[in-house]
Amino acid sequence: MRRVLVANRGEIALRVIRACRELELESVAVYSEADEPALHVRRADQAICIGKPAARRSYLNHDALIDAAQRSGADAVHPGYGFLSENAEFARRCETAGVIWVGPPASAIEQMGDKAAARALAERSEVPVVPGSDGAVAPENAVAAAEHIGYPVMIKAVGGGGGTGIRVARDQDELDRGANEAAREAEAAFGNPALYLEKLIERPRHVEVQVLADQSGQVIHLYERECSLQRRRQKLLEESPSSALTPPKREEMAAAAVRLTEAAGYRSAGTVEFLLDGAGGFYFIEMNTRIQVEHPVTEMITGVDLVKEQLRIAAGESLGISQASIVPDGAAIEFRVTAENPDENFRPSPGQVTRLELPGGPGVRVDTALYDGYSIPPFYDSLVAKLLVWGRDRDEALARGRRALEEFVIEGIDTTIPFHRRMLDDAGFRRGDYHTEYLSELSLT
Ligand code: ADP
Ligand code: ADP
Ligand code: MG
């Protein structure tokens, strides 16, 4: 492996380019017509325009990306997160074109991308799942399935992702309405209206386990990330360790994640997501077969560079790290900064950055593709920066978070920085006492 095409944009494209540099791999950026001034274009060794601003005419265009790989002589493709990162068809196209896919085998993407199939594999691997339907549920069988599980239930899209295609139903009326809405939403977003049902876990914690697997099938885990601070089922802030886990629970959950990863024939970096209920039980919900937005949280407490590991594994190297060598140290928190106004219901706020001052100092990391004067195009995800802080313990991380958010200045657009400052003053959050419904309940009061 010598030259890697980075099939993404924004901070994650920069993240991959940085890993390539450190491994002395050449990087090839791709960009849409709207992204000519973007930082990833300048930071890569070469850059190729792949089409119009709309993602389906550029970053999601299989032909344009394969063509760019071939024209640039790239021998590998790193998809980042979002876009084509969980697209088995594209992963297979890369393999047939003789280009290394920096990710799991297409078969593992397919199996885990079908969330009902992933649940079935978890059950066969003795990994607890949320009680729910056996596989996908046809619309005419939904009522019987919900009654069998018992209300309230969660209606979920088999092909879902990014919090899309999910509805809560507390009775049959809500089930009829919710199933219709979820199917329509899922059809539009994933081209697949199939649904399944799960028991609704009230006020759960979302805790996920990072795994790495090499070509020889060796699997290790890198402990957990607490991702319960969510808005509309999307993560706003993540941290590690999770204050919801006792040491034995942590080991049990990590072992379950490793079992499932082995059963899936998985390779590369991946994340096994679980929900925790109030009684201390944990239940598998899905596996994300890609690098995640919040991966730096794990990098900060383990010192492992997950993107470099992905590249090494893709090149056929075996894992250079043993399970015993992973000793988590301290506490880390990630604040997702998006171009949205938190005081106006998170209304998107693209536009020109007229002033940018990044925080720094001990224990601070900023992953961003912003620069002074940059104009954020309106076509893509609203994430513009990730602020990470590390401390020897959670209190030190919280203090650093507060200090770094004070230093962080982005003018010209609205961002979620003020929201994060307020979270750091919230007593429940400071105690580590929160769940996935926490924010929606806060805004009611
Ligand atoms: P993470 O757990 O890494 O935060 P998210 O679910 O927030 O993952 O998704 C990361 C990015 O990928 C977001 O930009 C989200 O919109 C996008 N994304 C996630 N799943 C899908 C999917 N199935 N199809 C398209 N985009 C997705
Ligand atoms: P996605 O693929 O969109 O990320 P997930 O299955 O990971 O979907 O669920 C996203 C979020 O929805 C979870 O983090 C959690 O907040 C909520 N959720 C999912 N399943 C349940 C459930 N059975 N009970 C309660 N909340 C759930
Ligand atoms: Mg998820």
Side-chain angles (χ1 to χ4, degrees), residues 415-428:
T415 75
T416 50
I417 290 173
F419 163 83
H420 290 302
R421 290 188 187 135
R422 289 199 290 272
M423 274 327 292
L424 283 176
D425 288 333
D426 178 78

Side-chain angles (χ1 to χ4, degrees), residues 6-27:
V6 184
N8 216 300
R9 63 180 304 282
E11 66 87 18
I12 194 61
L14 283 186
R15 175 72 191 84
V16 176
I17 291 166
R18 286 180 170 136
C20 289
R21 275 274 140 77
E22 291 180 25
L23 291 173
E24 295 182 22
L25 295 166
E26 289 173 37
S27 53

Side-chain angles (χ1 to χ4, degrees), residues 8-319:
N8 216 300
R9 63 180 304 282
E11 66 87 18
I12 194 61
L14 283 186
R15 175 72 191 84
V16 176
I17 291 166
R18 286 180 170 136
C20 289
R21 275 274 140 77
E22 291 180 25
L23 291 173
E24 295 182 22
L25 295 166
E26 289 173 37
S27 53
V28 181
V30 294
Y31 62 99
S32 74
E33 286 170 11
D35 271 344
E36 210 184 305
L39 201 51
H40 74 283
V41 174
R42 276 191 271 149
R43 290 281 172 85
D45 294 305
Q46 51 171 309
I48 296 180
C49 182
I50 48 163
K52 298 283 176 200
R56 76 193 147 74
R57 301 183 67 184
S58 49
Y59 299 104
L60 292 174
N61 182 337
H62 299 197
D63 290 337
L65 287 160
I66 296 287
D67 183 58
Q70 283 168 342
R71 270 196 293 150
S72 62
D75 45 23
V77 170
H78 193 304
Y81 56 69
F83 292 132
L84 295 174
S85 60
E86 292 178 284
N87 189 304
E89 186 190 322
F90 182 65
R92 209 162 266 139
R93 276 262 329 248
C94 289
E95 285 163 13
T96 0
V99 178
I100 297 169
W101 169 254
V102 184
S107 57
I109 303 179
E110 232 152 34
Q111 175 155 37
M112 290 303 174
D114 178 327
K115 293 167 79 178
R119 276 169 60 84
L121 182 65
E123 288 193 271
R124 289 200 298 280
S125 317
E126 287 174 35
V127 171
V129 301
V130 183
S133 56
D134 286 329
V137 173
E140 63 274 19
N141 299 331
V143 171
E147 275 166 10
H148 182 71
I149 297 164
Y151 290 102
V153 297
M154 201 98 180
I155 307 162
K156 299 173 76 169
V158 164
T164 301
I166 300 184
R167 291 290 184 284
V168 173
R170 296 188 179 273
D171 55 38
Q172 193 178 327
D173 259 13
E174 289 187 0
L175 184 75
D176 289 340
R177 207 168 345 118
N180 269 316
E181 287 174 13
R184 242 180 296 125
E185 207 173 286
E187 169 74 58
F190 320 114
N192 176 7
L195 302 175
Y196 65 109
L197 300 181
E198 277 178 2
K199 179 90 189 154
L200 178 83
I201 301 185
E202 309 264 9
R203 299 171 148 187
R205 294 268 200 159
H206 173 124
V207 180
E208 60 189 29
V209 177
Q210 176 71 52
V211 294
L212 279 176
D214 68 14
Q215 310 283 359
S216 72
Q218 195 202 337
V219 180
I220 62 169
H221 71 82
L222 294 97
Y223 293 92
E224 83 278 9
R225 292 183 292 257
E226 163 68 65
C227 307
S228 301
L229 206 75
Q230 301 184 353
R231 177 177 174 272
R232 298 187 177 164
R233 295 174 197 108
Q234 290 178 341
K235 302 161 186 166
L236 297 181
L237 175 163
E238 305 89 355
E239 61 175 313
S240 189
S242 166
S243 56
L245 295 180
T246 60
K249 257 311 157 218
R250 173 171 294 117
E251 293 303 326
E252 211 187 307
M253 183 184 275
V258 168
R259 272 203 307 283
L260 181 62
T261 306
E262 285 169 350
Y266 199 82
R267 306 290 177 261
S268 191
T271 301
V272 184
E273 296 190 334
F274 297 95
L275 295 181
L276 255 83
D277 64 18
F282 66 82
Y283 310 91
F284 167 77
I285 49 171
E286 67 156 342
M287 181 166 192
N288 291 323
T289 54
R290 55 174 161 88
I291 194 75
Q292 266 180 291
V293 174
E294 59 272 26
H295 76 276
V297 169
T298 301
E299 296 185 325
M300 291 193 85
I301 62 154
T302 62
V304 174
D305 184 321
L306 290 167
V307 180
K308 285 205 298 206
E309 291 307 320
Q310 281 189 302
L311 290 163
R312 284 203 190 100
I313 291 166
E317 285 179 43
S318 48
L319 272 179

